[in-house]
Amino acid sequence: MAIRDIDDLPKNKANYTALTPLWFLERAATVHPTRKAVVHGSRTYTWLQTYQRCRRLASALAKCSVGAGSTVAVIAPNIPATYEAHFGIPMCGAVINPVNIRLNASTIAFLLGHSQCAIVIVDQEFFTLVEDSLKIMKEKSQGHFNPPLLVVVADEACDLEALRYALGQGAIEYEKFLESGDPDFAWKPPQDKWQSIALGYTSCTTASPKGVVLHHRGAYLMSLSNPLVWGMNEGAIYLWTLPMFHCNGWCFTWALAALCGTNICLRQVTAKGVYSAIAKHGVTHFCAAPVVLNTIVNAAPEDTILPLPHVVHIMTAGFRVTHTYGLSETYGPSTICAWKPEWDSLPTDTQARLIARQGVRYTTLECLDVISTKTGEPVPGDGKTMGEIVMRGNIVMKGYLKNPKENEKTFANGWFHSGDLGVKHQDGYIEIKDRSKDIIISGGENISSVEVENSLCFHPAVLEASVVARADERWGESPCAFVTLKPEVNKSDEQWLAEEIMKFCKSKMPAYWVPKSVVFGPLPKTATGKIQKHVLRGKAQQLGPVKLRKL
Amino acid sequence: MAIRDIDDLPKNKANYTALTPLWFLERAATVHPTRKAVVHGSRTYTWLQTYQRCRRLASALAKCSVGAGSTVAVIAPNIPATYEAHFGIPMCGAVINPVNIRLNASTIAFLLGHSQCAIVIVDQEFFTLVEDSLKIMKEKSQGHFNPPLLVVVADEACDLEALRYALGQGAIEYEKFLESGDPDFAWKPPQDKWQSIALGYTSCTTASPKGVVLHHRGAYLMSLSNPLVWGMNEGAIYLWTLPMFHCNGWCFTWALAALCGTNICLRQVTAKGVYSAIAKHGVTHFCAAPVVLNTIVNAAPEDTILPLPHVVHIMTAGFRVTHTYGLSETYGPSTICAWKPEWDSLPTDTQARLIARQGVRYTTLECLDVISTKTGEPVPGDGKTMGEIVMRGNIVMKGYLKNPKENEKTFANGWFHSGDLGVKHQDGYIEIKDRSKDIIISGGENISSVEVENSLCFHPAVLEASVVARADERWGESPCAFVTLKPEVNKSDEQWLAEEIMKFCKSKMPAYWVPKSVVFGPLPKTATGKIQKHVLRGKAQQLGPVKLRKL
């Protein structure tokens, strides 16, 4: 019955081109050439100007032999140059590597070396940081060091002294660099949609950061689905509180071009900055980590403009309070806790419980499930059985750069393994319970370190707490709590306090979940404020195993 | 400088899957299982039910050996079965061929034969039409005829006699057919995004319809971009006035699943039906040909519900009044006349002139241009120089089925040639001036038949007019007008009327544009109401060439 003709029509130049978000910029420049594309302080660039600046950048890079296979690092806050880099760098065929500006010199040295960075575009504020990184690289290189070209951005309120210093060190000023490029540069879309567009390193909660490689196709699909799931319309006005260096601003960089919207830059996120941008530019949307929301909500009255002149949509991701959830490995958010009208009439605490879940897959993520870590089979939708959250689809990264071992693990059995543990509810919504590497296995039972931590935080003396596994002669592992006490707490009798806290836990959780050891002190954190559990694990190891107690 | 590692990461099952809109249905069933998916009269199916029905359909088809390479025709108005067919048929790997219900038996016979149709799903109202088509096919087959299986849909207000007759002829009732399928059928996404999903025949303005083949990838991209350019949000309530058999309802069939929206079916488009659906179901969007808009605007007062309870968005396509423009070959609309806020303050006639243009490319169409038919180079953006409208990108069809000659022509030089002639304005917006095959070349100059027709219609005696080329001894070709006069016009002196009309034209257009011949009578039309210019061309040929006149 079947005929082959229907599938035999070939691809050709007219009906097939690699999916890439670069076309969005060309379109925005055609459709809305005079509309504001990027606003930063007193500077405004239209979409036509932005397109021309990006083509100049691509051209200037190409003149420096940057092209397919090259990596260009960007170390800068949310300023126009960072936005332009998201188009200009891929337009010459290269890969953008936006670097977290809060990292230290030695980590940056590692990233620049690992990515074989050809050029660094750096904001003048961070020039000496990059210089320090290059020194470290040179020292380690034993004479074979070929330093990358430095392009320094002189932002508004620029420290002229610092800029002069940078130029003295051989750096090229960004606007000069653009001038050397052709505004009509004939950029080409990638030959293959699988071509890489971006490289981003996972945050340094572990010892060696992994380089997540993203491709044009995924960035394109993410750009289309972000506005779709969020109801962001054409011409949206987007405030950059989320750093663009975080997973390319969850691909909102490219999405804004697809929407022909307006990017409002913000060099530093302050409550005042956010409120005045909303009032001045008519911001319709922004994304924010919980800590940013906190800043906004708890702002001093003189920094706020209330009531707001219009409704502003906020997308937030974080742990436990999320509406969206995702990883660098999935181009940013890849699940969304889709709200249902029938929830409107539920009690507030039920609503809070429902919305705290990570939810359902993005439109462009093809599969999302929770699978048993033992059998690999999907867990039942009972809201109880824990398993690993896994994903499959076109907004999953290509893989980690130069890391075949991790890639094998991460892509085992045709799933992307998020490393997060969770449950699946009856309605199909998933909910995170823990990071899989943070899970504690005691007597063969899983203990969610997150749940123990959450309970600990209810104790009146506890400021913050982190729980890791400690070896245990009887149970294999048992929970070990690291606790920072509130400043006002009398810390003279730590033994008594530890017992108090354990007693408190006993009233809140199964006995085997109760930490068998409590250690007081400040918690080690990364530059971005995440607790470094691997450091705590090291400390727990130094404590030795919990001894078998005769009962 | 370049490193290969960054591009060397391979595709795998976790990070790559063929793009297909079928995933949207699975997602809608997970995210909003109880939300209304399809409403038709008193019947309502939720997204979960729709998903199950589609899986049943896929399963039942697979049991009939329908799979990859098979074609299934659907001959039905906008009813749930037609919607379900858009998912169920591709879910078993086959291609859906929705057939225009207004075609006659011999054209349908041609389509079913050309597509080697395995199964026909037919609404009971059109059963005898299909029967007649099969008779024609049998007669022409000279004994080698293997008739397709017939599945008949008993819609609401069904003619029981007709249904009984169909069943008597060996047809299977649609609901029975579904029952034979498995609601948990393990459908598989296509192995390849290039796999065909739909086949649709171009309307019969020419003698032999061409079979436009669309693929999963394009349908997926169109589903994401339709809502994006139109500002259609999650949960939209969409009224089906546009026939689903027209280019798969411009892919809104699949887009509604991406949006987890609600499909309001409408067996017949009447003003009353439209108004009551808006009031009863809270319709937020519908698409409509100008003729439908006309019906709605000019409805009898007793058929309307005014003022409307809420804002309803309408997307319309047609000639000259379009906001969007596209072809079956581009999955439906592929350009949009994007409105600009600065137009708000312009005079109404300027606004009308601006919005009458076909505009700019869709987000997922990568290139749109107007090229010289002589040099193939883009025409200048002067709003005057005519050229052919060409497109390139992922929402261009695979090609015409079994028609290598047409494919070569249509895809020449890496462009999809729309066959429409137009200009490019200074702001990059394009505007159609004529179909390229309708253009009249007189003394080496192009004459837009559309513009001559538009002028003719301003003559008080003219009801409608169509202009084609007639051979001309002096000029090669010259315009020949076919005119239908208004009923009230005295038609006794045609010669005088013809001269009157030519005189009228002379005052409106360049002399060489003025029709040298005027023929009165009714205009030949297709089942969908399009004027059949090829018939008129035949008549013009019979007239012989316009003789050289001694001056």
Side-chain angles (χ1 to χ4, degrees):
Chain A
M1 239 184 233
I3 43 166
R4 293 300 315 160
D5 310 89
I6 198 100
D7 282 318
D8 273 354
L9 295 157
K11 289 171 194 165
N12 61 49
K13 268 175 98 176
N15 67 13
Y16 187 85
T17 171
L19 301 176
T20 168
L22 300 180
W23 287 117
F24 299 147
L25 177 58
E26 184 268 341
R27 181 178 184 274
T30 308
V31 179
H32 294 292
T34 60
R35 188 183 277 180
K36 287 176 187 178
V38 181
V39 178
H40 182 48
S42 61
R43 275 191 293 160
T44 295
Y45 299 113
T46 64
W47 278 111
L48 183 59
Q49 288 170 328
T50 299
Y51 185 39
Q52 285 170 339
R53 288 172 63 85
C54 293
R55 287 167 94 175
R56 279 185 186 275
L57 176 57
S59 165
L61 288 169
K63 283 183 186 170
C64 298
S65 311
V66 171
S70 309
T71 301
V72 177
V74 180
I75 306 181
N78 289 342
I79 57 174
T82 316
Y83 189 76
E84 290 155 6
H86 277 84
F87 295 91
I89 295 170
M91 271 176 167
C92 78
V95 171
I96 178 172
N97 173 214
V99 175
N100 187 330
I101 53 177
R102 297 190 199 100
L103 298 177
N104 60 26
S106 66
T107 309
I108 292 179
F110 170 81
L111 304 192
L112 297 181
H114 188 259
S115 65
Q116 293 166 253
C117 173
I119 293 195
V120 182
I121 298 175
V122 54
D123 181 273
Q124 43 90 16
E125 185 183 338
F126 303 93
F127 184 79
T128 54
L129 177 67
V130 170
E131 237 190 348
D132 292 346
S133 309
L134 297 184
K135 267 181 214 150
I136 297 170
M137 290 171 80
K138 193 174 179 187
E139 276 161 25
K140 287 197 178 165
S141 70
Q142 299 168 320
H144 301 292
F145 182 54
N146 191 3
L149 180 71
L150 301 182
V151 177
V152 65
V153 186
D155 193 33
E156 288 208 332
C158 164
D159 175 351
L160 275 181
E161 205 50 51
L163 179 64
R164 216 167 287 141
Y165 173 78
L167 299 179
Q169 299 300 306
I172 305 171
E173 200 268 313
Y174 181 72
E175 293 296 331
K176 269 257 155 60
F177 191 63
L178 289 194
E179 274 169 34
S180 75
D182 177 2
D184 297 320
F185 178 66
W187 65 277
K188 285 203 183 88
Q191 283 302 300
D192 176 2
K193 71 206 163 298
W194 197 250
Q195 193 176 310
S196 303
I197 191 169
L199 169 68
Y201 285 86
T202 56
S203 67
C204 307
T205 43
T206 56
S208 58
K210 287 176 287 186
V212 174
V213 182
L214 307 181
H215 50 63
H216 282 257
R217 170 195 175 90
Y220 177 95
L221 295 172
M222 192 67 179
S223 303
L224 292 182
S225 54
N226 249 334
L228 202 71
V229 299
W230 201 15
M232 241 176 130
N233 287 339
E234 206 273 341
I237 298 178
Y238 183 83
L239 178 65
W240 278 103
T241 50
L242 174 75
M244 294 188 205
F245 59 70
H246 271 173
C247 197
N248 312 105
W250 303 348
C251 296
F252 278 98
T253 40
W254 297 302
L256 263 288
L259 292 168
C260 305
T262 302
N263 293 278
I264 310 296
C265 291
L266 205 57
R267 191 176 171 87
Q268 266 192 315
V269 179
T270 61
K272 197 174 181 172
V274 170
Y275 280 102
S276 53
I278 292 171
K280 190 173 170 194
H281 302 293
V283 168
T284 57
H285 294 76
F286 66 92
C287 301
V291 57
V292 172
L293 282 186
N294 228 350
T295 307
I296 296 164
V297 173
N298 297 322
E302 65 271 23
D303 288 344
T304 67
I305 298 170
L306 288 170
L308 287 172
H310 56 270
V311 174
V312 182
H313 302 263
I314 304 174
M315 181 185 269
T316 181
F319 211 58
R320 290 252 137 205
V321 294
T322 53
H323 297 235
T324 63
Y325 151 74
L327 310 90
S328 305
E329 287 86 341
T330 61
Y331 294 74
S334 54
T335 80
I336 181 159
C337 188
W339 185 264
K340 298 190 174 177
E342 55 265 37
W343 297 354
D344 288 344
S345 54
L346 296 175
T348 320
D349 55 344
T350 312
Q351 287 186 344
R353 194 170 47 73
L354 290 169
I355 199 70
R357 304 176 308 165
Q358 280 66 32
V360 292
R361 64 186 180 83
Y362 247 50
T363 321
T364 48
L365 182 74
E366 278 73 17
C367 294
L368 170 70
D369 214 332
V370 179
I371 60 170
S372 160
T373 48
K374 284 170 199 156
T375 66
E377 291 301 308
V379 301
D382 57 7
K384 281 182 205 160
T385 315
M386 254 210 277
E388 185 175 12
I389 295 167
V390 290
M391 298 164 183
R392 187 183 280 155
N394 294 301
I395 52 167
V396 168
M397 65 162 179
K398 290 174 80 164
Y400 297 117
L401 184 62
K402 295 186 272 190
N403 209 334
K405 250 191 180 167
E406 277 293 333
N407 286 333
E408 202 179 310
K409 240 171 61 186
T410 253
F411 290 135
N413 301 316
W415 285 108
F416 163 67
H417 293 261
S418 70
D420 287 323
L421 293 178
V423 298
K424 192 162 63 183
H425 289 273
Q426 219 190 334
D427 62 359
Y429 280 49
I430 62 154
E431 184 176 0
I432 292 186
K433 292 293 182 181
D434 208 347
R435 295 281 308 166
S436 67
K437 64 172 186 290
D438 294 341
I439 208 80
I440 300 159
I441 304 168
S442 195
E445 299 279 356
N446 285 342
I447 301 173
S448 158
S449 63
V450 174
E451 304 226 347
V452 180
E453 287 158 5
N454 288 347
S455 296
L456 277 168
C457 289
F458 279 101
H459 189 283
V462 173
L463 179 69
E464 53 182 6
S466 182
V467 175
V468 299
R470 178 180 170 189
D472 190 302
E473 290 187 344
R474 185 184 182 96
W475 304 109
E477 287 179 4
S478 65
C480 173
F482 290 84
V483 169
T484 310
L485 294 167
K486 288 184 181 161
E488 64 269 25
V489 175
N490 176 351
K491 297 170 187 77
S492 59
D493 194 351
E494 288 197 342
Q495 178 64 28
W496 178 82
L497 272 166
E499 279 168 17
E500 261 306 294
I501 285 170
M502 289 189 228
K503 220 188 283 174
F504 176 81
C505 287
K506 247 175 223 156
S507 69
K508 300 279 179 195
M509 57 185 77
Y512 71 98
W513 284 42
V514 175
K516 291 214 169 24
S517 6
V518 178
V519 183
F520 297 103
L523 302 179
K525 289 182 184 167
T526 66
T528 60
K530 281 194 188 173
I531 294 170
Q532 291 175 300
K533 284 213 168 177
H534 68 285
V535 175
L536 296 179
R537 264 184 222 105
K539 285 192 181 177
Q541 210 179 343
Q542 283 167 15
L543 295 175
V546 178
K547 296 287 174 202
L548 196 74
R549 272 203 282 177
K550 297 271 144 50
L551 296 170
Chain B
M1 240 185 232
I3 44 166
R4 292 301 315 160
D5 311 88
I6 199 97
D7 282 319
D8 274 353
L9 295 157
K11 289 170 194 165
N12 60 51
K13 269 175 96 174
N15 66 14
Y16 187 85
T17 172
L19 300 178
T20 169
L22 300 179
W23 286 116
F24 299 148
L25 178 57
E26 183 268 342
R27 182 178 182 273
T30 308
V31 179
H32 294 291
T34 60
R35 187 184 278 180
K36 288 176 187 175
V38 182
V39 178
H40 182 48
S42 60
R43 274 190 294 160
T44 295
Y45 300 113
T46 64
W47 277 112
L48 182 60
Q49 288 169 329
T50 299
Y51 185 38
Q52 285 168 342
R53 287 172 63 84
C54 293
R55 288 166 93 176
R56 278 183 186 277
L57 176 56
S59 165
L61 289 168
K63 282 181 185 171
C64 298
S65 309
V66 170
S70 308
T71 302
V72 177
V74 179
I75 306 181
N78 289 342
I79 57 173
T82 316
Y83 190 76
E84 289 156 5
H86 277 83
F87 295 90
I89 295 170
M91 270 177 168
C92 77
V95 171
I96 178 171
N97 172 215
V99 175
N100 188 331
I101 53 178
R102 297 189 198 102
L103 297 176
N104 60 25
S106 67
T107 308
I108 292 178
F110 170 81
L111 304 192
L112 297 182
H114 188 258
S115 66
Q116 292 166 254
C117 174
I119 294 195
V120 181
I121 298 174
V122 56
D123 181 273
Q124 43 92 15
E125 184 182 339
F126 303 93
F127 184 79
T128 53
L129 177 66
V130 171
E131 239 188 346
D132 293 346
S133 310
L134 297 184
K135 267 181 216 149
I136 297 170
M137 290 171 80
K138 196 175 176 183
E139 278 160 24
K140 288 198 177 164
S141 71
Q142 300 165 320
H144 300 294
F145 183 54
N146 190 5
L149 180 71
L150 300 182
V151 177
V152 66
V153 186
D155 193 32
E156 288 208 333
C158 165
D159 175 352
L160 274 182
E161 207 50 52
L163 179 65
R164 217 169 287 143
Y165 172 77
L167 299 179
Q169 299 301 306
I172 305 171
E173 200 266 313
Y174 180 72
E175 294 295 331
K176 270 257 157 59
F177 190 64
L178 290 194
E179 274 168 34
S180 75
D182 176 3
D184 297 319
F185 177 67
W187 65 278
K188 286 205 183 88
Q191 284 301 301
D192 177 2
K193 71 205 162 298
W194 197 249
Q195 194 176 310
S196 304
I197 192 169
L199 168 68
Y201 285 87
T202 55
S203 66
C204 308
T205 42
T206 56
S208 59
K210 288 174 287 185
V212 174
V213 182
L214 307 181
H215 50 64
H216 283 256
R217 171 195 175 89
Y220 177 96
L221 294 174
M222 193 67 180
S223 303
L224 291 182
S225 55
N226 251 334
L228 203 69
V229 299
W230 201 16
M232 241 177 130
N233 287 339
E234 206 275 342
I237 298 178
Y238 183 83
L239 178 66
W240 277 103
T241 50
L242 173 76
M244 294 188 206
F245 59 70
H246 271 173
C247 197
N248 312 105
W250 302 349
C251 296
F252 279 97
T253 39
W254 298 302
L256 263 287
L259 292 167
C260 305
T262 302
N263 294 278
I264 311 296
C265 291
L266 205 57
R267 192 178 170 86
Q268 266 192 316
V269 179
T270 61
K272 199 174 181 173
V274 170
Y275 280 103
S276 53
I278 291 170
K280 190 171 170 197
H281 301 293
V283 168
T284 57
H285 294 77
F286 65 93
C287 300
V291 57
V292 172
L293 281 186
N294 230 350
T295 308
I296 295 164
V297 173
N298 298 323
E302 65 270 24
D303 287 345
T304 67
I305 298 171
L306 288 170
L308 287 171
H310 55 270
V311 175
V312 182
H313 302 263
I314 303 175
M315 181 185 269
T316 181
F319 211 58
R320 290 255 136 199
V321 295
T322 52
H323 296 234
T324 63
Y325 151 74
L327 309 92
S328 304
E329 288 86 341
T330 61
Y331 295 73
S334 54
T335 79
I336 180 159
C337 188
W339 184 264
K340 298 190 175 177
E342 55 265 37
W343 296 353
D344 288 343
S345 55
L346 296 175
T348 320
D349 55 344
T350 312
Q351 286 186 344
R353 192 170 48 72
L354 290 170
I355 200 69
R357 305 176 307 165
Q358 280 66 31
V360 291
R361 64 185 180 83
Y362 248 49
T363 322
T364 50
L365 183 74
E366 277 74 16
C367 295
L368 170 72
D369 214 332
V370 180
I371 60 170
S372 159
T373 48
K374 284 170 199 157
T375 65
E377 291 300 309
V379 302
D382 57 9
K384 282 181 204 162
T385 315
M386 255 212 275
E388 184 175 11
I389 295 167
V390 290
M391 298 165 186
R392 186 184 281 154
N394 294 300
I395 53 169
V396 167
M397 65 162 180
K398 289 174 80 163
Y400 297 117
L401 185 61
K402 296 186 272 190
N403 209 334
K405 250 193 182 164
E406 278 293 334
N407 286 333
E408 201 179 311
K409 240 171 61 189
T410 252
F411 290 135
N413 301 316
W415 285 108
F416 164 67
H417 293 260
S418 70
D420 287 324
L421 293 179
V423 299
K424 193 162 62 183
H425 288 273
Q426 217 190 338
D427 62 359
Y429 280 48
I430 62 153
E431 184 174 2
I432 291 187
K433 292 292 180 183
D434 208 347
R435 295 281 310 164
S436 67
K437 64 171 187 291
D438 294 342
I439 208 80
I440 301 159
I441 303 168
S442 194
E445 300 276 356
N446 286 343
I447 300 173
S448 159
S449 63
V450 174
E451 302 225 349
V452 180
E453 287 159 5
N454 288 347
S455 296
L456 278 169
C457 288
F458 279 100
H459 190 282
V462 174
L463 179 68
E464 52 183 5
S466 183
V467 175
V468 300
R470 178 180 170 190
D472 189 300
E473 290 186 344
R474 186 184 183 95
W475 305 109
E477 289 180 2
S478 64
C480 173
F482 290 85
V483 169
T484 309
L485 294 166
K486 288 184 181 162
E488 65 270 24
V489 175
N490 177 350
K491 297 172 187 73
S492 57
D493 193 350
E494 288 199 344
Q495 179 64 28
W496 178 82
L497 273 167
E499 279 168 17
E500 261 305 295
I501 285 171
M502 288 188 230
K503 217 187 286 172
F504 176 81
C505 286
K506 249 176 221 153
S507 69
K508 300 278 180 194
M509 57 185 75
Y512 71 98
W513 284 41
V514 175
K516 293 218 168 18
S517 6
V518 178
V519 183
F520 296 102
L523 302 179
K525 290 182 185 167
T526 67
T528 60
K530 280 193 190 175
I531 295 170
Q532 291 174 301
K533 284 214 167 177
H534 69 283
V535 174
L536 296 179
R537 265 185 220 104
K539 286 193 180 174
Q541 211 179 341
Q542 284 166 14
L543 295 176
V546 178
K547 296 286 174 204
L548 198 72
R549 271 203 281 177
K550 297 269 146 51
L551 296 170

